[in-house]
Amino acid sequence: MEIFPLTTERLILRRFTQHDLPAFSGYRNQPEVARYQSWSSFSAADASAFLEQQRELAFDADQTWFQIAVERKEDAVLAGDVAVHFFDGGRQAELGVTFDSSCQRQGYATEALSRVIGLLFDDLKKHRIVATVNARNASVVRLLEKQGFRREAHYRENIFFKGAWSDEYSFALLKHEWKAG
Ligand SMILES: CC(C)(COP(=O)(O)OP(=O)(O)OC[C@H]1O[C@@H](n2cnc3c(N)ncnc32)[C@H](O)[C@@H]1OP(=O)(O)O)[C@@H](O)C(=O)NCCC(=O)NCCS
């Protein structure tokens, strides 16, 4: 059964389509969006390859990253995306989140993420959700902590990232912690 689209008060969470690609590569190319991400620039060819790979993907398939498009209801603008990595034979998931800079600081990322967390814990019965972030990426640290994620690790200079050694934090949230919170 297809899970998408899902809705929140201001957003629609759905699969990516061909129409999203200009906006998707647009925000991936914003320097402030790419700063702590694996890419530095994102071409039209990268965007097509991304869609090709996502098109066939089932949601909740072990060892895959599924990217959920987040559309603003009011004007159908692609605000950003929430990426979900399914691992541990279906028991756990990892999150990544990226929003267009013009759609940041308005609570959209919080709204989308909490819907995805609800989906993972309530509907898909995941036990634990994790996220690994650059320790300097203050906005994602705040976002995760507001959702109740605990910082479980601080890795010192564990990643050679964009020309320099960087620290990473590992965050986690258990289903029963989320229920309690
Ligand atoms: C990480 C990221 C998604 C966080 O998004 P965000 O836009 O800061 O998240 P939100 O809008 O949900 O919340 C941020 C702030 O907006 C505020 N806010 C909430 N609702 C609001 C509203 N209706 N109007 C204005 N501000 C609002 C919140 O209070 C919050 O402020 P605080 O952090 O000082 O408490 C975003 O910074 C991003 O895409 N960064 C680039 C990509 C990246 O590095 N991703 C992480 C890789 S894992």
Side-chain angles (χ1 to χ4, degrees):
M1 198 188 76
E2 178 69 21
I3 281 173
F4 300 107
L6 298 171
T7 55
T8 66
E9 192 188 336
R10 297 178 294 168
L11 305 168
I12 300 171
L13 277 59
R14 56 168 177 74
R15 281 179 176 269
F16 269 89
T17 73
Q18 186 78 33
H19 302 294
D20 295 317
L21 297 189
F24 180 61
S25 35
Y27 66 71
R28 281 201 154 201
N29 277 313
Q30 293 167 351
E32 62 277 35
V33 167
R35 186 165 178 202
Y36 297 115
Q37 304 273 28
S38 56
W39 65 89
S40 293
S41 62
F42 200 76
S43 68
D46 294 332
S48 299
F50 158 81
L51 188 68
E52 208 44 55
Q53 183 263 335
Q54 288 287 307
R55 208 196 297 270
E56 302 298 319
L57 204 58
F59 191 67
D60 199 14
D62 197 35
Q63 303 297 336
T64 65
W65 277 96
F66 187 104
Q67 208 108 354
I68 304 168
V70 180
E71 175 184 317
R72 185 159 61 191
K73 272 184 190 170
E74 141 192 316
D75 52 8
V77 157
L78 179 70
D81 60 80
V82 179
V84 189
H85 176 209
F86 297 98
F87 70 100
D88 194 18
R91 296 181 195 89
Q92 301 191 56
E94 177 181 2
L95 294 177
V97 52
T98 305
F99 274 68
D100 188 298
S101 56
S102 71
C103 295
Q104 293 182 16
R105 314 282 306 159
Q106 296 167 68
Y108 294 135
T110 299
E111 195 171 317
L113 201 60
S114 75
R115 184 68 187 87
V116 172
I117 292 170
L119 172 71
L120 293 172
F121 282 145
D122 282 340
D123 301 293
L124 301 176
K125 312 296 179 202
K126 303 303 173 201
H127 177 67
R128 183 172 180 265
I129 304 177
V130 300
T132 300
V133 307
N134 190 298
R136 291 189 178 176
N137 194 349
S139 49
V140 76
V141 167
R142 261 202 316 275
L143 182 73
L144 292 169
E145 286 179 339
K146 273 196 301 185
Q147 296 286 341
F149 278 79
R150 279 173 295 100
R151 202 173 88 187
E152 290 193 328
H154 180 170
Y155 301 109
R156 303 273 181 198
E157 299 188 12
N158 66 321
I159 181 169
F160 194 73
F161 179 72
K162 300 190 177 177
W165 286 103
S166 274
D167 290 14
E168 284 186 321
Y169 291 151
S170 180
F171 281 94
L173 178 63
L174 297 169
K175 179 173 182 173
H176 56 82
E177 293 172 328
W178 180 71
K179 288 279 177 202

